[in-house]
Amino acid sequence: PELRNRLQVLGQLQDKYEELQQGFFQEAEQLERRFMPLFEKEHERRSTLVHKGVFQRGAPKTPPVKDFWKTVMLSHPTIGQLLNKKDLKILEYLRDVKSSLLPNNIKGFKLTFQFEPNPYMVDTELVKAYVMQEKVSMGQNILKEIKSLPERVSWKAMQDPAIMTVKRKYKNGTETRDLTVGQSFFNLFSPLSLDPLPPGTELTAQEIETRQVIEREIQFDLDVGFVFKDDLIPHAFKYFAAGRERMSQPTPSLKAP
């Protein structure tokens, strides 16, 4: 009985802690909503300087910064690993990346990728919205759903960066070209969802494995979203400067033995 009573008290303490934590997250979200317009204003000033070469009226005009977001994304240790050669060509047309909280007090945020008209994609704006559940669990925000607008990127003919041509040569001198789907940053803009299972649903081992793969991909998508929101966008210049410094360093030459 004594142990049972202690466990009951510990459970009550845990409930109280989670109640306090829920209040903390709610107030933190309201604080973020108060400061977000200020952050957005600074990001707009940065965007103006990058693309128009002017900071404010009366200031000395400077030339636009070339390949700003391409350099920023390539320099980031997480995002840079997602980029293939064709992604880099497309990112030369990336004009701006913005983060904002969802309207109407909906919990979550969205990322907006704005492109100049280009020879690769029909769309010039891609949006990803990460909608979170109202309550936190174990101190973590829980994803409710991910929305993309448009649902799929509209690529111009033969310009999808995830579609790659694999050449195969045979001993008889013949050669074939096969199309395959490879890694691309833009794979993150493909629809990805997992329907909840009714109680008592039994799955095969293959179905369980498939759901686990999708769950990992959804979690990775969310992690990338937070990387953009909390790190890459607010600290874009830091990654840009690091990328420029790395590109300016001479490539070491190899001496013959």
Side-chain angles (χ1 to χ4, degrees):
E2 183 179 349
L3 177 59
R4 189 181 303 115
N5 291 337
R6 288 184 180 180
L7 292 177
Q8 184 176 5
V9 173
L10 287 172
Q12 293 171 349
L13 290 175
Q14 181 65 37
D15 292 341
K16 180 61 177 179
Y17 180 85
E18 291 181 0
E19 180 182 341
L20 292 172
Q21 192 175 57
Q22 182 69 32
F24 167 79
F25 274 88
Q26 288 174 348
E27 292 201 21
E29 182 183 357
Q30 294 303 316
L31 184 63
E32 186 177 24
R33 287 190 179 276
R34 284 194 0 233
F35 273 85
M36 185 57 74
L38 301 177
F39 294 147
E40 291 174 349
K41 182 178 179 180
E42 295 306 311
H43 295 163
E44 284 297 328
R45 295 173 70 184
R46 180 180 66 194
S47 180
T48 299
L49 179 60
V50 166
H51 295 288
K52 296 183 179 180
V54 60
F55 186 64
Q56 59 186 6
R57 183 174 297 178
K61 189 169 183 179
T62 57
V65 181
K66 185 180 179 181
D67 295 338
F68 180 80
W69 284 104
K70 171 186 172 181
T71 305
V72 170
M73 292 174 62
L74 185 60
S75 301
H76 194 279
T78 299
I79 306 304
Q81 296 296 316
L82 305 179
L83 306 176
N84 65 31
K85 291 183 179 180
K86 200 164 187 178
D87 289 341
L88 294 177
K89 292 183 179 295
I90 298 169
L91 291 179
E92 292 177 3
Y93 296 89
L94 181 57
R95 180 176 178 82
D96 207 355
V97 184
K98 299 181 179 182
S99 170
S100 58
L101 299 180
L102 297 180
N104 303 321
N105 286 324
I106 298 175
K107 191 173 181 178
F109 63 96
K110 71 175 181 178
L111 304 174
T112 303
F113 298 78
Q114 297 175 336
F115 292 83
E116 301 283 359
N118 61 79
Y120 299 100
M121 61 174 66
V122 176
D123 311 293
T124 56
E125 184 171 281
L126 305 178
V127 178
K128 284 188 69 82
Y130 299 85
V131 185
M132 314 302 292
Q133 295 183 15
E134 287 300 320
K135 291 189 176 182
V136 299
S137 176
M138 302 292 288
Q140 297 290 327
N141 286 306
I142 305 300
L143 180 68
K144 182 178 181 180
E145 61 178 331
I146 300 175
K147 298 179 179 180
S148 295
L149 185 66
E151 288 189 358
R152 291 183 182 273
V153 181
S154 297
W155 297 105
K156 295 181 180 179
M158 300 301 294
Q159 297 301 332
D160 186 339
I163 304 299
M164 302 177 182
T165 302
V166 179
K167 296 181 181 179
R168 290 187 173 87
K169 293 184 177 181
Y170 300 91
K171 292 182 179 180
N172 60 7
T174 59
E175 181 180 289
T176 62
R177 293 170 179 260
D178 298 326
L179 296 180
T180 184
V181 178
Q183 175 179 292
S184 167
F185 168 75
F186 292 94
N187 288 344
L188 291 169
F189 294 89
S190 299
L192 197 62
S193 62
L194 199 61
D195 295 328
L197 295 174
T201 302
E202 294 186 3
L203 300 176
T204 64
Q206 181 62 45
E207 289 172 333
I208 293 174
E209 182 178 355
T210 299
R211 289 184 67 87
Q212 290 174 340
V213 169
I214 296 176
E215 286 174 353
R216 288 195 294 269
E217 291 179 350
I218 291 175
Q219 182 60 49
F220 180 73
D221 191 334
L222 177 61
D223 292 342
V224 169
F226 274 112
V227 165
F228 271 94
K229 172 181 175 289
D230 296 332
D231 185 19
L232 191 140
I233 293 176
H235 304 129
F237 178 73
K238 179 181 73 174
Y239 291 108
F240 176 77
R244 286 289 296 270
E245 181 179 359
R246 188 162 49 249
M247 288 186 291
S248 66
Q249 293 175 351
T251 303
S253 58
L254 297 178
K255 296 183 178 180

